[in-house]
Amino acid sequence: MDKFTIKDIAKLSDVSTATVSNYLNGNYAKMSPNTKEKLANIIEKTNYRPSTTARNLAKNENKTIGVSVADITNPFTSPVISGISERCSEYGYKLVFTNSNNDEQKEVENINRLLEEEVAGLIIDPVNPNSNTYQRLSNTYTVIVDRQAQRSIIDTITTDNMKSVELMTQKMLDAGYTDLYFVTWPLSGISTRINRYTGFKNATKYTNDEHLLTIPYDYESSDDDSFTQTIRQIVTSSHGKLGFFTMNSRVLQNFLKVTQSLNYTYPDDFGVATYENFDWMQLMTPGISCIRQDSVAIGHAAMDLLKEKLSTNYTSEPAPRMKTIPTDIIIRESF
Amino acid sequence: MDKFTIKDIAKLSDVSTATVSNYLNGNYAKMSPNTKEKLANIIEKTNYRPSTTARNLAKNENKTIGVSVADITNPFTSPVISGISERCSEYGYKLVFTNSNNDEQKEVENINRLLEEEVAGLIIDPVNPNSNTYQRLSNTYTVIVDRQAQRSIIDTITTDNMKSVELMTQKMLDAGYTDLYFVTWPLSGISTRINRYTGFKNATKYTNDEHLLTIPYDYESSDDDSFTQTIRQIVTSSHGKLGFFTMNSRVLQNFLKVTQSLNYTYPDDFGVATYENFDWMQLMTPGISCIRQDSVAIGHAAMDLLKEKLSTNYTSEPAPRMKTIPTDIIIRESF
DNA sequence: CTGTTAGCGCTTTCAT
DNA sequence: ATGAAAGCGCTAACAG
């Protein structure tokens, strides 16, 4: 785009490139007010912009952090990015972004690309936190968000999954619900899902998985698929007071679509609550009780932690830390 | 992270850096099968990754495109990014991302940063398309999405705003609605809003702005604010069959919150339709009629166009083109 | 205060 | 088929 280099500016200003460089880096102490002003003018006039690439190479540093998200389509994701992005610009980092579309293979490629880029640090919203792709990463420059590995070696930031679900389930219990179901995408070893389910079991004291209802990740309700049948069966044969907890907003949507097609209504035919909070849940009639997680805060925390790590000098691989961001519970009229 | 450079590899392999470079670039014709294999082994063993920074500098090219979005929090934004991101990786570009949080000043900084980065191209979801920040950009390497400048000099991709709203409004008219209102954030010269409103006026033939209802961008309904009062006033005093068209999903949410607080229900007390489609609109009872825009397609189109531009050699600034992505209309029971 | 110069890691003629 | 060497645009000693 621009053809000007530091040499051109030096020539035009009748100084050396070193002086120009000093000017560029704010080392004004090293030059007379005169040259400083001259430089200011010329640079302004020529609209000269130093090449970040060359700078990075020369200083052997790269103020960029790489972000790899599992699925940008997930409504959880954009607030997290927003939080990261905010902190990035505060801290003077730029953000290069990759989306893996829930494809592990794609994620590996993305991470490789980012590594080649020589990003200073990595923030990963992992497709499968138990994958061994992350083994090769160092905890000195990466942090994981949202999903947590079974046996993690990397700092990770999650929301308070277990406790909050336990609490919400308890609320349903307190409201007299005796027959509770947990609706989720396949657990697949994914911590977010497992922890939420564990919270559910802690509260209900269910000892087996008979109250675990699983729908495929890409579930689209159709006429009378097996999930629809299951729900019908449960609703018609339940003895106690029947309630459902859905594992996130998308599962909730699928669930409600099914119950609507079945002509069941809440809170009459069943009670319902969900993880995640979105504006529309308040608009539903009745409003949906839910657990609100602060996704922006996750982004903030991730970048804060990363920055801290990047500015400390580790002599050895630091032990992984976990940070959980608190949630709160919103009770509406859905149970 | 890695300490290995091309020199190390050259030394280890007993060849020159030139040969290593050739290997790296797939110029296998320029070396014996022997050296090729030797290199392959050593590189594999050392886990060597060439520095993109150095490559960029040497080749004086940068396969990255910069994306500046107005507000990543807007649900419209992430599918667009998703589309761009998909094409980016197909085309071998990386994506550096900035969010302006609807702040023009921030956007200027972001664009400057991207320019300094020497990105190959720019995709901008503009805060204010009529700002003169964009004047300094060249149409050879940038494309604008979503919002269109009054007098544009840059290729832009938008959805079919005017026609689709005209069509939807016509549907309401056909359904017997005689008293229609357009609810929007302040028009503020923003093409998206203006075009949608124009479509509305085209259909209704209203000649003044008495049927234009504006809420602040950051509107939060409170007890009995002026918008709430306006709505109450309109509903109670309307003579004909009353309907509302909301300019996007967030306006719809605000609008529905207000009507709910007023204890009005649709489609009895009023009919309603909106721009934008989200899953939850189908869950509402009754379902909301809406205009579905294909945001992912916008992202695709933007990157496709950009790629085409980047690979053509312009001798002069190309004339700006407009591309509009078709929408479709989903009729449910809200009017 | 200012200039010289040797890199940063890689690419790319041009020789050999 | 391989290597020497001159850059790419900038930074950072080191001299002066």
Side-chain angles (χ1 to χ4, degrees), chain B residues 30-81:
Chain B
K30 294 192 177 178
M31 69 195 69
S32 67
N34 249 338
T35 42
K36 177 179 166 185
E37 198 174 337
K38 191 165 42 169
L39 251 14
N41 282 331
I42 306 238
I43 288 177
E44 159 79 8
K45 219 164 269 160
T46 56
N47 193 25
Y48 162 73
R49 313 192 152 284
S51 151
T52 322
T53 310
R55 285 178 108 140
N56 286 344
L57 182 57
K59 312 180 91 147
N60 196 14
E61 73 165 25
N62 192 343
K63 297 282 272 183
T64 109
I65 76 109
V67 174
S68 164
V69 310
D71 176 17
I72 204 213
T73 266
N74 188 324
F76 157 83
T77 304
S78 48
V80 175
I81 298 178

Side-chain angles (χ1 to χ4, degrees), chain B residues 86-302:
Chain B
E86 242 176 89
R87 288 291 197 264
C88 267
S89 41
E90 270 172 43
Y91 298 155
Y93 283 87
K94 68 172 192 282
L95 185 169
V96 359
F97 166 88
T98 62
N99 176 29
S100 304
N101 212 15
N102 273 313
D103 175 344
E104 283 197 43
Q105 189 45 47
K106 182 91 180 126
E107 185 182 47
V108 172
E109 285 165 27
N110 283 153
I111 294 181
N112 282 341
R113 292 261 311 271
L114 293 173
L115 253 23
E116 272 167 40
E117 221 62 53
E118 289 155 311
V119 293
L122 237 33
I123 296 180
I124 301 178
D125 164 22
V127 174
N128 167 11
N130 297 314
S131 148
N132 50 12
T133 339
Y134 313 116
Q135 306 295 324
R136 68 203 161 110
L137 270 21
S138 161
N139 194 24
T140 56
Y141 60 76
T142 120
V143 2
I144 286 182
V145 297
D146 186 32
R147 296 172 181 177
Q148 172 182 356
Q150 230 104 60
R151 197 189 131 288
S152 182
I153 55 166
I154 308 250
D155 293 356
T156 112
I157 317 273
T158 65
T159 46
D160 180 7
N161 289 299
M162 203 171 74
K163 279 292 174 203
S164 58
V165 175
E166 190 172 332
L167 192 59
M168 179 63 101
T169 310
Q170 191 56 55
K171 298 256 183 215
M172 296 184 85
L173 258 13
D174 293 348
Y177 286 84
T178 54
D179 193 18
L180 255 22
Y181 286 84
F182 185 86
V183 191
T184 182
W185 286 329
L187 298 183
S188 308
I190 291 180
S191 68
T192 326
R193 303 175 192 170
I194 292 175
N195 290 338
R196 292 176 193 176
Y197 182 47
T198 304
F200 175 82
K201 281 174 92 170
N202 286 165
T204 55
K205 308 281 196 289
Y206 291 142
T207 51
N208 59 29
D209 290 339
E210 281 169 16
H211 290 250
L212 174 66
L213 262 29
T214 298
I215 59 173
Y217 177 74
D218 56 359
Y219 177 74
E220 283 289 340
S221 64
S222 56
D223 230 21
D224 196 37
D225 57 60
S226 77
F227 180 64
T228 306
Q229 290 174 23
T230 307
I231 295 295
R232 184 195 305 114
Q233 207 269 317
I234 289 175
V235 174
T236 53
S237 69
S238 171
H239 291 311
K241 197 170 174 190
L242 178 65
F244 297 88
F245 182 90
T246 55
M247 173 266 178
N248 69 18
S249 65
R250 270 144 86 159
V251 171
L252 172 67
Q253 287 181 1
N254 282 311
F255 172 76
L256 289 180
K257 241 179 257 184
V258 168
T259 58
Q260 284 187 4
S261 79
L262 256 18
N263 278 315
Y264 298 144
T265 60
Y266 64 91
D268 295 333
D269 298 320
F270 61 88
V272 63
T274 189
Y275 209 96
E276 288 191 322
N277 170 48
F278 290 99
D279 282 342
W280 57 267
M281 295 179 186
Q282 166 180 177
L283 253 30
M284 300 286 294
T285 40
I288 307 276
S289 297
C290 63
I291 295 168
R292 171 169 54 197
Q293 59 178 335
D294 190 347
S295 307
V296 176
I298 295 183
H300 285 163

Side-chain angles (χ1 to χ4, degrees), chain A residues 130-170:
Chain A
N130 297 315
S131 148
N132 51 10
T133 339
Y134 313 117
Q135 306 296 324
R136 65 201 163 114
L137 269 22
S138 160
N139 194 23
T140 56
Y141 59 76
T142 119
V143 0
I144 287 184
V145 297
D146 187 31
R147 294 171 182 178
Q148 172 183 356
Q150 231 104 61
R151 197 188 131 289
S152 181
I153 55 165
I154 307 246
D155 292 356
T156 112
I157 317 270
T158 65
T159 48
D160 179 8
N161 288 300
M162 203 171 76
K163 278 294 174 199
S164 59
V165 175
E166 188 172 334
L167 192 59
M168 180 65 102
T169 309
Q170 190 56 55

Side-chain angles (χ1 to χ4, degrees), chain A residues 76-323:
Chain A
F76 159 82
T77 305
S78 47
V80 175
I81 298 178
S82 178
I84 296 174
S85 161
E86 243 176 88
R87 288 291 197 265
C88 268
S89 41
E90 270 171 46
Y91 298 154
Y93 283 88
K94 67 173 194 282
L95 185 168
V96 1
F97 167 88
T98 63
N99 177 28
S100 306
N101 212 14
N102 274 314
D103 175 344
E104 283 198 44
Q105 189 44 47
K106 182 90 180 128
E107 185 183 49
V108 172
E109 286 166 26
N110 284 152
I111 293 181
N112 282 341
R113 292 262 312 271
L114 294 173
L115 253 22
E116 271 167 40
E117 220 62 55
E118 288 156 312
V119 293
L122 237 35
I123 296 178
I124 302 178
D125 164 22
V127 173
N128 167 11
N130 297 315
S131 148
N132 51 10
T133 339
Y134 313 117
Q135 306 296 324
R136 65 201 163 114
L137 269 22
S138 160
N139 194 23
T140 56
Y141 59 76
T142 119
V143 0
I144 287 184
V145 297
D146 187 31
R147 294 171 182 178
Q148 172 183 356
Q150 231 104 61
R151 197 188 131 289
S152 181
I153 55 165
I154 307 246
D155 292 356
T156 112
I157 317 270
T158 65
T159 48
D160 179 8
N161 288 300
M162 203 171 76
K163 278 294 174 199
S164 59
V165 175
E166 188 172 334
L167 192 59
M168 180 65 102
T169 309
Q170 190 56 55
K171 298 252 185 221
M172 297 184 83
L173 258 12
D174 292 348
Y177 286 85
T178 54
D179 193 18
L180 257 21
Y181 286 84
F182 186 85
V183 191
T184 182
W185 285 329
L187 298 184
S188 308
I190 292 180
S191 67
T192 326
R193 303 175 192 169
I194 292 175
N195 290 338
R196 291 177 193 175
Y197 181 48
T198 304
F200 176 82
K201 282 174 93 171
N202 285 165
T204 55
K205 309 279 197 290
Y206 291 142
T207 50
N208 59 28
D209 290 340
E210 280 171 17
H211 290 252
L212 172 67
L213 263 30
T214 298
I215 58 173
Y217 178 74
D218 56 359
Y219 176 74
E220 283 290 341
S221 64
S222 58
D223 230 21
D224 196 37
D225 57 61
S226 77
F227 181 64
T228 306
Q229 290 173 22
T230 306
I231 295 294
R232 184 195 306 114
Q233 207 269 317
I234 289 175
V235 174
T236 53
S237 69
S238 171
H239 290 313
K241 197 170 174 192
L242 178 64
F244 296 88
F245 182 89
T246 56
M247 172 265 180
N248 69 17
S249 65
R250 273 145 86 158
V251 170
L252 172 67
Q253 288 182 1
N254 282 312
F255 172 75
L256 289 180
K257 241 179 257 182
V258 167
T259 57
Q260 284 186 4
S261 79
L262 255 18
N263 278 317
Y264 298 144
T265 59
Y266 64 91
D268 295 333
D269 297 320
F270 60 88
V272 63
T274 189
Y275 210 95
E276 285 191 324
N277 171 50
F278 290 100
D279 282 344
W280 57 266
M281 294 179 185
Q282 165 178 178
L283 253 31
M284 300 288 293
T285 41
I288 307 275
S289 297
C290 62
I291 295 168
R292 172 168 55 198
Q293 59 179 335
D294 190 346
S295 307
V296 176
I298 295 183
H300 285 162
M303 189 58 205
D304 286 345
L305 180 55
L306 183 52
K307 194 217 173 191
E308 180 214 308
K309 299 212 280 187
L310 292 180
S311 53
T312 102
N313 254 333
Y314 294 106
T315 54
S316 65
E317 199 68 6
R321 290 166 292 177
M322 305 288 126
K323 170 158 188 175

